[in-house]
Structures are given as structure tokens and as C-alpha cells.
Amino acid sequence: MRVLHHPILGELSQDDYVEIIVDGKKLRAKSGETIAAALMANGIHIHRYTTKKHEPRGVFCGIGQCTDCVMTVNGKPNVRTCITPVEEGMVIETQQGFGKRGTKE
């Protein structure tokens, strides 16, 4: 869910979007919003699965203090999505356990 009509801030501009790729699927994200906010707006709530029990995790604190929202971003594991802004062409993957380092640094 994304607030499109705010009584004080006004209308959300339709031209400030970027394209991101989440688990192989192209999604639109509002330029400047965090990865977690973009995922929530697109109905995605699971960011990773725990190592031992493979339980799903998503946003918990929302301020970068816990690690429940970490995902693999552009090949780099353990990126805190609640404080990382989206960028055009960003590749985001649901993280399994501690994650694997990709080829991009």
C-alpha cells in the first residue's frame, strides 16, 4: 500500500519511479523510498528465512537496529532494507540464512 493522496503533502507524483528487480520480477518503486517500503507497496512482506528453522522474517524495527529485514542486494548479503533507498535497476533477492556473496560488490 502506498499513500497516493495525502491531505497535507498533496498528490504523489507519477514520474518519480524507478524499476527494481525482486526475485526475478520487475517492480516499480517510488524514487527515494526504502527497499522495505517499496516491497510493502508491492505486497511483499518476507525478506529472509532464518538459518536453523527456515522461518520467514520481514520488517520488525524499521530503523536499522535489528536484522530481520536483511536481503541480498546487488549480490551483497545482509543489506538492511528498512534504511536502504531504492536505485534504478537494483537487484534484490530473498535471503536464505546468512546469504551468499554474489559476483557484484
XYZ file of all heavy atoms in Angstrom:
805
model
N 0.839 -1.177 0.000
C 0.000 0.000 0.000
C 0.885 1.240 0.000
O 1.851 1.323 0.728
C -0.889 0.004 1.244
C -1.811 1.180 1.275
S -2.906 1.101 2.699
C -2.387 2.540 3.547
N 0.539 2.188 -0.808
C 1.292 3.429 -0.900
C 0.295 4.578 -0.818
O -0.749 4.530 -1.454
C 2.050 3.452 -2.222
C 2.951 4.627 -2.407
C 3.736 4.543 -3.705
N 4.895 3.681 -3.534
C 5.179 2.658 -4.327
N 4.416 2.359 -5.330
N 6.252 1.937 -4.118
N 0.600 5.597 -0.043
C -0.280 6.759 0.082
C -0.139 7.609 -1.176
O 0.931 8.142 -1.460
C 0.073 7.592 1.340
C -0.797 8.839 1.410
C -0.080 6.766 2.594
N -1.211 7.685 -1.949
C -1.190 8.445 -3.194
C -1.763 9.849 -3.031
O -1.394 10.762 -3.751
C -1.974 7.692 -4.276
C -1.473 6.287 -4.609
C -2.411 5.607 -5.588
C -0.061 6.336 -5.149
N -2.689 10.002 -2.074
C -3.348 11.293 -1.837
C -3.236 11.631 -0.356
O -3.911 11.024 0.474
C -4.827 11.220 -2.241
C -5.047 10.625 -3.598
N -4.787 11.310 -4.761
C -5.468 9.404 -3.980
C -5.058 10.535 -5.793
N -5.463 9.371 -5.346
N -2.361 12.578 -0.036
C -2.147 12.960 1.353
C -2.768 14.334 1.591
O -2.564 15.245 0.787
C -0.645 12.984 1.663
C -0.344 13.084 3.108
N -0.345 14.262 3.789
C -0.033 12.119 4.009
C -0.042 14.049 5.048
N 0.153 12.739 5.204
N -3.516 14.502 2.691
C -4.198 15.782 2.916
C -3.247 16.964 3.117
O -3.612 18.100 2.821
C -5.032 15.532 4.173
C -4.438 14.331 4.811
C -3.804 13.532 3.734
N -2.032 16.731 3.569
C -1.085 17.820 3.792
C 0.007 17.845 2.716
O 0.333 18.896 2.183
C -0.449 17.716 5.195
C -1.538 17.897 6.255
C 0.657 18.756 5.381
C -1.096 17.615 7.661
N 0.553 16.687 2.396
C 1.650 16.608 1.430
C 1.179 16.672 -0.016
O 1.974 16.897 -0.919
C 2.452 15.321 1.654
C 3.071 15.165 3.036
C 3.747 13.810 3.163
C 4.058 16.287 3.314
N -0.107 16.461 -0.240
C -0.660 16.550 -1.590
C -0.607 15.238 -2.343
O -0.528 14.163 -1.762
N -0.624 15.354 -3.673
C -0.654 14.186 -4.546
C 0.746 13.624 -4.752
O 1.707 14.373 -4.845
C -1.239 14.563 -5.910
C -2.628 15.161 -5.844
C -3.663 14.173 -5.346
O -3.675 13.041 -5.838
O -4.456 14.548 -4.477
N 0.834 12.316 -4.876
C 2.096 11.653 -5.171
C 2.369 11.795 -6.666
O 1.533 11.454 -7.495
C 2.018 10.170 -4.795
C 3.259 9.328 -5.023
C 4.388 9.791 -4.099
C 2.954 7.874 -4.755
N 3.538 12.305 -7.005
C 3.917 12.485 -8.407
C 4.063 11.127 -9.088
O 4.613 10.200 -8.521
C 5.236 13.254 -8.487
O 5.712 13.246 -9.799
N 3.571 11.016 -10.302
C 3.633 9.761 -11.045
C 4.922 9.596 -11.839
O 5.152 8.565 -12.436
C 2.420 9.657 -11.981
C 1.107 9.547 -11.255
C 1.019 8.282 -10.395
O 1.429 7.220 -10.804
N 0.480 8.423 -9.200
N 5.802 10.618 -11.868
C 7.012 10.498 -12.676
C 8.260 10.142 -11.887
O 9.304 9.977 -12.461
C 7.298 11.773 -13.486
C 6.479 12.966 -13.116
O 5.329 12.796 -12.809
O 7.018 14.083 -13.182
N 8.171 10.029 -10.599
C 9.352 9.767 -9.775
C 9.481 8.296 -9.405
O 9.668 7.949 -8.256
C 9.307 10.605 -8.501
C 9.400 12.094 -8.774
O 9.778 12.459 -9.892
O 9.104 12.876 -7.863
N 9.434 7.413 -10.392
C 9.531 5.986 -10.134
C 10.790 5.412 -10.754
O 11.302 5.937 -11.740
C 8.307 5.246 -10.693
C 7.081 5.400 -9.827
C 6.207 6.454 -10.024
C 6.810 4.505 -8.808
C 5.079 6.605 -9.232
C 5.692 4.644 -8.011
C 4.832 5.693 -8.218
O 3.730 5.837 -7.431
N 11.289 4.336 -10.147
C 12.414 3.588 -10.688
C 11.970 2.136 -10.813
O 10.978 1.731 -10.210
C 13.673 3.692 -9.796
C 14.181 5.114 -9.730
C 13.408 3.153 -8.397
N 12.721 1.366 -11.584
C 12.412 -0.054 -11.723
C 13.437 -0.862 -10.939
O 14.644 -0.622 -11.059
C 12.440 -0.468 -13.191
C 11.973 -1.887 -13.417
C 11.928 -2.227 -14.891
O 12.975 -2.663 -15.413
O 10.862 -2.038 -15.496
N 12.957 -1.795 -10.120
C 13.831 -2.698 -9.385
C 13.446 -4.135 -9.741
O 12.349 -4.359 -10.252
C 13.742 -2.475 -7.851
C 12.307 -2.688 -7.343
C 14.254 -1.093 -7.481
C 12.152 -2.614 -5.829
N 14.345 -5.066 -9.487
C 14.073 -6.474 -9.760
C 14.134 -7.225 -8.438
O 15.159 -7.215 -7.756
C 15.080 -7.051 -10.764
C 15.013 -6.259 -12.070
C 14.831 -8.535 -10.990
C 16.126 -6.544 -13.034
N 13.026 -7.840 -8.059
C 12.933 -8.575 -6.802
C 12.648 -10.039 -7.113
O 11.602 -10.361 -7.676
C 11.832 -7.987 -5.887
C 11.773 -8.749 -4.581
C 12.071 -6.510 -5.638
N 13.581 -10.893 -6.763
C 13.471 -12.328 -7.034
C 13.077 -12.593 -8.491
O 12.199 -13.398 -8.783
C 12.486 -12.994 -6.068
C 12.995 -13.002 -4.640
O 14.228 -13.053 -4.447
O 12.179 -12.958 -3.707
N 13.705 -11.851 -9.399
C 13.489 -12.035 -10.827
C 12.282 -11.316 -11.405
O 12.060 -11.346 -12.606
N 11.511 -10.637 -10.564
C 10.305 -9.943 -11.022
C 10.535 -8.430 -11.022
O 11.005 -7.863 -10.036
C 9.142 -10.300 -10.089
C 7.833 -9.708 -10.488
C 6.731 -10.143 -9.531
C 5.419 -9.487 -9.888
N 4.374 -9.805 -8.921
N 10.195 -7.773 -12.140
C 10.352 -6.317 -12.223
C 9.217 -5.628 -11.479
O 8.048 -5.960 -11.669
C 10.362 -5.866 -13.677
C 11.583 -6.313 -14.432
C 11.561 -5.830 -15.860
C 12.792 -6.339 -16.600
N 12.831 -5.878 -17.983
N 9.589 -4.648 -10.633
C 8.607 -3.887 -9.863
C 8.907 -2.398 -9.966
O 10.057 -2.002 -10.183
C 8.658 -4.281 -8.379
C 8.387 -5.733 -8.018
C 8.586 -5.940 -6.524
C 6.983 -6.142 -8.422
N 7.879 -1.583 -9.786
C 8.042 -0.128 -9.734
C 8.203 0.276 -8.281
O 7.504 -0.208 -7.406
C 6.832 0.576 -10.329
C 6.781 0.484 -11.827
C 5.589 1.201 -12.385
N 5.743 2.633 -12.162
C 4.717 3.487 -12.118
N 3.501 3.067 -12.274
N 4.925 4.763 -11.926
N 9.130 1.190 -8.039
C 9.348 1.716 -6.692
C 9.418 3.235 -6.774
O 9.897 3.787 -7.770
C 10.645 1.168 -6.113
N 8.941 3.888 -5.761
C 8.985 5.346 -5.703
C 10.420 5.773 -5.435
O 11.070 5.282 -4.514
C 8.052 5.840 -4.580
C 8.027 7.322 -4.404
C 7.140 7.959 -5.425
C 6.990 9.441 -5.098
N 7.307 10.292 -6.187
N 10.935 6.640 -6.249
C 12.299 7.135 -6.082
C 12.458 7.744 -4.685
O 11.634 8.539 -4.249
C 12.595 8.190 -7.142
O 13.908 8.650 -7.023
N 13.502 7.335 -3.967
C 13.773 7.885 -2.639
C 13.224 7.055 -1.490
O 13.627 7.237 -0.354
N 12.285 6.138 -1.767
C 11.765 5.323 -0.674
C 12.722 4.177 -0.379
O 13.587 3.846 -1.188
C 10.359 4.803 -0.980
C 10.264 3.712 -2.011
C 8.816 3.319 -2.319
O 7.894 3.718 -1.596
O 8.625 2.604 -3.311
N 12.571 3.567 0.786
C 13.437 2.453 1.137
C 13.000 1.192 0.398
O 11.875 1.105 -0.091
C 13.402 2.178 2.656
O 12.081 1.777 3.021
C 13.840 3.393 3.460
N 13.912 0.229 0.349
C 13.592 -1.048 -0.282
C 12.396 -1.670 0.422
O 11.463 -2.154 -0.224
C 14.800 -2.005 -0.244
C 15.950 -1.454 -1.082
C 14.402 -3.400 -0.707
C 17.265 -2.205 -0.904
N 12.401 -1.662 1.752
C 11.303 -2.263 2.526
C 9.966 -1.608 2.192
O 8.957 -2.302 2.028
C 11.588 -2.163 4.024
N 9.937 -0.287 2.056
C 8.693 0.417 1.721
C 8.216 0.022 0.326
O 7.022 -0.189 0.099
C 8.892 1.925 1.806
N 9.148 -0.094 -0.618
C 8.796 -0.493 -1.984
C 8.234 -1.912 -2.003
O 7.259 -2.195 -2.704
C 10.016 -0.399 -2.893
N 8.836 -2.805 -1.220
C 8.348 -4.179 -1.167
C 6.951 -4.234 -0.559
O 6.077 -4.939 -1.058
C 9.320 -5.056 -0.375
C 10.714 -5.228 -0.986
C 11.585 -6.085 -0.078
C 10.642 -5.808 -2.371
N 6.744 -3.504 0.530
C 5.413 -3.471 1.166
C 4.364 -2.941 0.201
O 3.253 -3.473 0.134
C 5.435 -2.602 2.422
C 5.997 -3.294 3.621
S 5.747 -2.277 5.075
C 7.392 -2.220 5.701
N 4.710 -1.898 -0.548
C 3.774 -1.312 -1.513
C 3.415 -2.302 -2.615
O 2.362 -2.188 -3.233
C 4.372 -0.045 -2.120
N 4.282 -3.278 -2.844
C 4.040 -4.296 -3.859
C 3.572 -5.619 -3.259
O 3.578 -6.648 -3.933
C 5.303 -4.501 -4.696
C 5.513 -3.390 -5.696
O 4.873 -3.361 -6.735
N 6.377 -2.447 -5.375
N 3.202 -5.601 -1.967
C 2.637 -6.783 -1.322
C 3.640 -7.843 -0.893
O 3.267 -8.978 -0.616
N 4.919 -7.478 -0.816
C 5.950 -8.430 -0.398
C 6.321 -8.147 1.057
O 6.753 -7.037 1.382
C 7.194 -8.333 -1.306
C 6.804 -8.655 -2.749
C 8.310 -9.253 -0.809
C 7.877 -8.363 -3.764
N 6.176 -9.159 1.921
C 6.433 -8.960 3.348
C 7.536 -9.855 3.896
O 8.011 -9.633 4.999
C 5.148 -9.181 4.146
C 4.050 -8.263 3.711
N 4.011 -6.929 4.042
C 2.970 -8.472 2.923
C 2.948 -6.363 3.506
N 2.299 -7.282 2.800
N 7.943 -10.872 3.145
C 9.006 -11.766 3.595
C 10.312 -11.341 2.929
O 10.395 -11.255 1.707
C 8.686 -13.239 3.266
C 7.431 -13.681 4.021
C 9.880 -14.134 3.615
C 6.916 -15.047 3.631
N 11.326 -11.067 3.755
C 12.611 -10.597 3.254
C 13.695 -11.666 3.342
O 14.641 -11.648 2.572
C 13.071 -9.373 4.044
C 12.168 -8.202 3.865
N 12.630 -6.916 3.887
C 10.837 -8.101 3.663
C 11.617 -6.078 3.706
N 10.525 -6.788 3.572
N 13.563 -12.546 4.329
C 14.576 -13.580 4.500
C 13.985 -14.766 5.246
O 12.875 -14.677 5.776
C 15.794 -13.054 5.263
C 15.512 -12.793 6.753
C 16.769 -12.322 7.481
N 16.497 -12.163 8.893
C 16.780 -13.060 9.831
N 17.342 -14.207 9.508
N 16.502 -12.828 11.096
N 14.745 -15.864 5.268
C 14.381 -17.046 6.044
C 15.530 -17.353 6.994
O 16.702 -17.279 6.602
C 14.105 -18.242 5.126
C 12.819 -18.085 4.346
C 12.806 -17.478 3.099
C 11.612 -18.510 4.883
C 11.627 -17.307 2.397
C 10.421 -18.344 4.181
C 10.435 -17.747 2.943
O 9.263 -17.570 2.252
N 15.213 -17.698 8.247
C 16.241 -17.949 9.250
C 17.072 -19.179 8.911
O 16.633 -20.049 8.161
C 15.624 -18.114 10.654
O 14.729 -19.233 10.633
C 14.886 -16.866 11.084
N 18.257 -19.227 9.487
C 19.205 -20.304 9.197
C 18.753 -21.654 9.742
O 18.715 -22.634 9.009
C 20.592 -19.950 9.783
O 21.003 -18.711 9.218
C 21.617 -21.004 9.437
N 18.418 -21.719 11.014
C 18.118 -23.008 11.640
C 16.739 -23.559 11.286
O 16.602 -24.698 10.868
C 18.231 -22.903 13.162
C 19.653 -22.780 13.646
C 19.707 -22.800 15.148
C 21.138 -22.659 15.619
N 21.244 -22.696 17.071
N 15.706 -22.767 11.479
C 14.344 -23.274 11.298
C 13.698 -22.842 9.986
O 12.554 -23.172 9.714
C 13.472 -22.841 12.473
C 13.913 -23.437 13.798
C 12.946 -23.072 14.896
C 13.383 -23.680 16.215
N 12.441 -23.341 17.283
N 14.405 -22.051 9.201
C 13.895 -21.559 7.905
C 12.555 -20.842 8.056
O 11.658 -20.995 7.232
C 13.805 -22.699 6.888
C 15.110 -23.411 6.717
N 16.151 -22.864 6.018
C 15.549 -24.604 7.193
C 17.182 -23.692 6.065
N 16.843 -24.755 6.768
N 12.450 -20.030 9.119
C 11.233 -19.259 9.373
C 11.299 -17.930 8.628
O 12.372 -17.327 8.519
C 11.072 -19.008 10.871
C 10.886 -20.279 11.664
C 10.887 -20.059 13.170
O 11.654 -19.203 13.653
O 10.107 -20.741 13.845
N 10.173 -17.450 8.118
C 10.165 -16.184 7.388
C 10.332 -14.985 8.324
O 9.855 -15.003 9.458
C 8.789 -16.165 6.727
C 7.938 -17.025 7.598
C 8.845 -18.076 8.166
N 11.018 -13.967 7.833
C 11.206 -12.722 8.569
C 10.978 -11.563 7.620
O 11.187 -11.651 6.422
C 12.611 -12.620 9.161
C 12.911 -13.646 10.239
C 12.127 -13.312 11.498
N 12.479 -14.177 12.600
C 11.764 -15.229 12.993
N 10.666 -15.553 12.349
N 12.129 -15.954 14.021
N 10.581 -10.421 8.205
C 10.359 -9.200 7.431
C 10.724 -8.011 8.282
O 11.563 -8.118 9.183
N 10.094 -6.877 8.064
C 10.396 -5.673 8.828
C 9.934 -5.861 10.269
O 8.795 -6.253 10.519
C 9.723 -4.434 8.203
C 9.943 -3.206 9.062
C 10.247 -4.195 6.800
N 10.816 -5.576 11.209
C 10.458 -5.649 12.627
C 10.610 -4.273 13.260
O 9.645 -3.670 13.661
C 11.332 -6.682 13.354
C 11.020 -6.813 14.815
C 9.840 -7.396 15.226
C 11.901 -6.343 15.775
C 9.528 -7.506 16.574
C 11.610 -6.451 17.122
C 10.422 -7.042 17.527
N 11.822 -3.742 13.308
C 12.020 -2.444 13.972
C 11.829 -1.274 13.011
O 11.366 -0.217 13.408
C 13.390 -2.386 14.640
S 14.783 -2.140 13.503
N 12.215 -1.456 11.761
C 12.050 -0.397 10.766
C 13.035 0.749 10.869
O 12.897 1.748 10.168
N 14.059 0.626 11.735
C 15.033 1.714 11.898
C 16.483 1.231 11.772
O 17.410 1.921 12.166
C 14.839 2.468 13.222
C 14.946 1.524 14.418
C 13.521 3.223 13.224
C 14.957 2.238 15.776
N 16.685 0.014 11.261
C 18.029 -0.482 11.018
C 18.748 -1.075 12.210
O 19.942 -1.337 12.131
N 18.051 -1.301 13.312
C 18.712 -1.831 14.503
C 18.716 -3.353 14.567
O 19.657 -3.945 15.063
C 18.049 -1.263 15.767
C 18.209 0.237 15.905
C 19.669 0.658 15.960
O 20.438 0.192 16.777
N 20.057 1.531 15.043
N 17.660 -3.987 14.092
C 17.621 -5.454 14.088
C 18.076 -5.931 12.706
O 18.439 -5.130 11.862
C 16.208 -5.955 14.411
S 15.011 -5.788 13.080
N 18.042 -7.223 12.473
C 18.444 -7.720 11.149
C 17.343 -8.549 10.502
O 17.612 -9.341 9.610
C 19.728 -8.576 11.261
O 19.486 -9.639 12.184
C 20.910 -7.751 11.700
N 16.110 -8.350 10.924
C 15.016 -9.140 10.358
C 14.724 -8.800 8.899
O 14.235 -9.638 8.165
C 13.744 -8.990 11.193
C 13.711 -9.951 12.368
O 14.593 -10.832 12.441
O 12.808 -9.838 13.201
N 15.029 -7.600 8.453
C 14.678 -7.186 7.095
C 15.816 -7.357 6.092
O 15.693 -6.903 4.955
C 14.210 -5.737 7.096
S 15.553 -4.553 7.371
N 16.917 -8.004 6.477
C 18.054 -8.082 5.556
C 17.733 -8.926 4.326
O 16.985 -9.895 4.397
C 19.339 -8.608 6.237
C 19.793 -7.667 7.326
C 19.180 -10.014 6.748
N 18.294 -8.501 3.203
C 18.142 -9.203 1.932
C 19.457 -9.106 1.176
O 20.345 -8.332 1.556
C 17.015 -8.579 1.099
C 15.648 -8.710 1.719
S 14.345 -7.994 0.701
C 13.980 -9.378 -0.376
N 19.577 -9.872 0.105
C 20.743 -9.774 -0.763
C 20.425 -8.728 -1.830
O 19.449 -8.861 -2.561
C 21.053 -11.142 -1.403
O 21.272 -12.091 -0.357
C 22.279 -11.062 -2.286
N 21.239 -7.677 -1.886
C 21.016 -6.570 -2.811
C 22.243 -6.425 -3.709
O 23.357 -6.231 -3.221
C 20.744 -5.252 -2.052
C 20.564 -4.093 -3.016
C 19.527 -5.401 -1.149
N 22.035 -6.547 -5.006
C 23.116 -6.477 -5.997
C 24.257 -7.434 -5.643
O 25.428 -7.090 -5.762
C 23.637 -5.046 -6.143
C 22.607 -4.125 -6.751
O 21.746 -4.547 -7.515
N 22.681 -2.853 -6.413
N 23.897 -8.625 -5.159
C 24.888 -9.645 -4.830
C 25.483 -9.540 -3.443
O 26.238 -10.399 -3.029
N 25.152 -8.491 -2.712
C 25.694 -8.292 -1.363
C 24.650 -8.734 -0.328
O 23.559 -8.171 -0.267
C 26.037 -6.812 -1.155
C 26.617 -6.517 0.201
C 26.929 -5.053 0.347
C 27.426 -4.779 1.755
N 27.581 -3.341 1.987
N 24.992 -9.735 0.503
C 24.032 -10.205 1.508
C 23.958 -9.263 2.703
O 24.826 -8.407 2.898
C 24.600 -11.565 1.917
C 26.067 -11.439 1.692
C 26.223 -10.514 0.503
N 22.913 -9.436 3.503
C 22.729 -8.742 4.781
C 22.562 -7.229 4.667
O 23.001 -6.481 5.532
C 23.875 -9.081 5.749
C 23.966 -10.569 5.983
O 22.967 -11.236 6.242
N 25.164 -11.119 5.850
N 21.918 -6.771 3.606
C 21.624 -5.343 3.444
C 20.327 -5.052 4.188
O 19.307 -5.701 3.962
C 21.493 -4.965 1.954
C 21.053 -3.517 1.794
C 22.805 -5.216 1.233
N 20.353 -4.083 5.075
C 19.161 -3.705 5.850
C 18.228 -2.892 4.948
O 18.477 -1.737 4.637
C 19.568 -2.916 7.084
C 20.279 -3.806 8.073
C 20.615 -3.081 9.340
N 21.098 -4.053 10.290
C 22.172 -3.905 11.029
N 22.884 -2.798 10.945
N 22.543 -4.834 11.869
N 17.144 -3.527 4.542
C 16.251 -2.921 3.555
C 15.411 -1.781 4.120
O 14.915 -0.968 3.357
C 15.316 -3.980 2.951
O 14.522 -4.555 3.986
C 16.117 -5.053 2.240
N 15.271 -1.714 5.422
C 14.435 -0.658 6.010
C 15.124 0.700 5.994
O 14.461 1.723 6.181
C 14.013 -1.030 7.432
S 15.365 -1.054 8.625
N 16.431 0.738 5.751
C 17.149 2.019 5.724
C 17.904 2.246 4.412
O 18.572 3.261 4.257
C 18.122 2.153 6.925
C 19.145 1.031 6.926
C 17.361 2.212 8.230
C 20.276 1.214 7.937
N 17.784 1.318 3.473
C 18.491 1.434 2.196
C 17.533 1.920 1.110
O 16.536 1.257 0.824
C 19.084 0.064 1.787
O 19.908 -0.419 2.852
C 19.899 0.184 0.516
N 17.815 3.080 0.507
C 16.930 3.587 -0.544
C 17.056 2.791 -1.844
O 18.119 2.250 -2.153
C 17.393 5.035 -0.753
C 18.733 5.138 -0.141
C 18.897 4.004 0.822
N 15.963 2.729 -2.589
C 15.967 2.030 -3.876
C 16.769 2.830 -4.891
O 16.887 4.051 -4.793
C 14.539 1.786 -4.423
C 13.772 0.842 -3.549
C 13.799 3.088 -4.624
N 17.307 2.111 -5.881
C 18.016 2.724 -7.002
C 17.567 2.036 -8.275
O 17.201 0.859 -8.247
C 19.530 2.557 -6.842
C 20.113 3.276 -5.658
C 21.595 2.988 -5.459
O 22.187 2.273 -6.305
O 22.149 3.452 -4.469
N 17.606 2.740 -9.366
C 17.223 2.193 -10.666
C 18.022 0.928 -10.966
O 19.244 0.908 -10.831
C 17.455 3.232 -11.768
C 17.103 2.765 -13.154
C 15.616 2.538 -13.368
O 14.807 3.349 -12.888
O 15.282 1.536 -14.011
N 17.317 -0.153 -11.344
C 17.956 -1.393 -11.745
C 18.466 -2.276 -10.618
O 19.120 -3.287 -10.865
N 18.190 -1.902 -9.388
C 18.649 -2.669 -8.224
C 18.099 -4.092 -8.282
O 16.935 -4.295 -8.587
C 18.140 -1.949 -6.968
C 18.724 -2.388 -5.677
S 18.108 -1.304 -4.334
C 19.558 -0.331 -4.055
N 18.960 -5.083 -8.006
C 18.553 -6.484 -7.998
C 18.504 -6.951 -6.551
O 19.516 -6.948 -5.846
C 19.535 -7.360 -8.818
C 19.122 -8.826 -8.757
C 19.596 -6.873 -10.255
N 17.312 -7.353 -6.112
C 17.065 -7.711 -4.715
C 16.588 -9.155 -4.659
O 15.731 -9.554 -5.441
C 16.003 -6.764 -4.110
C 16.462 -5.309 -4.268
C 15.718 -7.114 -2.657
C 15.359 -4.300 -4.188
N 17.155 -9.923 -3.713
C 16.776 -11.326 -3.589
C 16.436 -11.657 -2.145
O 17.104 -11.189 -1.221
C 17.922 -12.228 -4.039
C 18.313 -12.021 -5.487
C 19.594 -12.744 -5.832
O 20.654 -12.313 -5.360
O 19.494 -13.742 -6.563
N 15.409 -12.495 -1.970
C 15.070 -13.001 -0.643
C 16.276 -13.777 -0.146
O 16.825 -14.607 -0.858
C 13.831 -13.920 -0.707
O 12.740 -13.160 -1.230
C 13.475 -14.454 0.661
N 16.679 -13.491 1.079
C 17.892 -14.109 1.611
C 17.581 -15.399 2.356
O 16.650 -15.457 3.139
C 18.602 -13.113 2.533
C 19.945 -13.606 3.018
C 20.768 -12.498 3.621
O 20.984 -11.468 2.989
N 21.225 -12.704 4.840
N 18.396 -16.414 2.107
C 18.301 -17.699 2.790
C 19.419 -17.755 3.826
O 20.588 -17.690 3.467
C 18.447 -18.858 1.808
C 17.444 -18.846 0.672
C 16.007 -19.040 1.142
O 15.751 -19.756 2.105
N 15.080 -18.395 0.467
N 19.062 -17.843 5.104
C 20.069 -17.906 6.169
C 20.965 -16.687 6.175
O 20.495 -15.566 6.155
N 22.280 -16.926 6.160
C 23.229 -15.823 6.195
C 23.481 -15.224 4.822
O 24.159 -14.209 4.677
C 24.567 -16.296 6.793
C 24.448 -16.742 8.226
C 24.733 -18.052 8.574
C 24.037 -15.877 9.211
C 24.626 -18.478 9.878
C 23.908 -16.297 10.523
C 24.204 -17.596 10.862
N 22.951 -15.856 3.785
C 23.108 -15.348 2.431
C 24.443 -15.739 1.826
O 25.378 -16.131 2.512
N 24.500 -15.656 0.504
C 25.727 -15.958 -0.222
C 26.184 -14.707 -0.926
O 25.382 -13.980 -1.492
C 25.475 -17.042 -1.268
C 25.085 -18.377 -0.681
C 24.821 -19.382 -1.793
C 24.353 -20.683 -1.203
N 23.972 -21.646 -2.227
N 27.479 -14.467 -0.910
C 28.020 -13.299 -1.594
C 28.010 -13.571 -3.091
O 28.475 -14.598 -3.555
C 29.425 -13.006 -1.130
C 29.962 -11.738 -1.755
C 31.147 -11.170 -1.056
N 30.899 -10.719 0.289
C 30.359 -9.546 0.618
N 29.960 -8.730 -0.320
N 30.197 -9.207 1.860
N 27.439 -12.633 -3.844
C 27.382 -12.765 -5.296
C 28.637 -12.252 -5.965
O 29.654 -12.017 -5.318
N 28.545 -12.024 -7.242
C 29.706 -11.573 -8.000
C 29.864 -10.068 -7.945
O 30.945 -9.553 -8.123
C 29.595 -12.019 -9.466
O 28.363 -11.533 -9.992
C 29.646 -13.517 -9.585
N 28.781 -9.327 -7.693
C 28.854 -7.868 -7.627
C 29.185 -7.443 -6.209
O 28.639 -7.927 -5.244
C 27.506 -7.259 -8.006
C 27.420 -6.781 -9.412
C 26.093 -6.131 -9.610
C 26.180 -4.997 -10.576
N 24.897 -4.421 -10.880
N 30.080 -6.503 -6.044
C 30.445 -5.995 -4.715
C 29.864 -4.615 -4.531
O 29.837 -3.816 -5.379
C 31.965 -5.933 -4.572
C 32.588 -7.284 -4.571
C 32.528 -7.989 -3.233
O 32.443 -7.322 -2.201
O 32.552 -9.208 -3.226
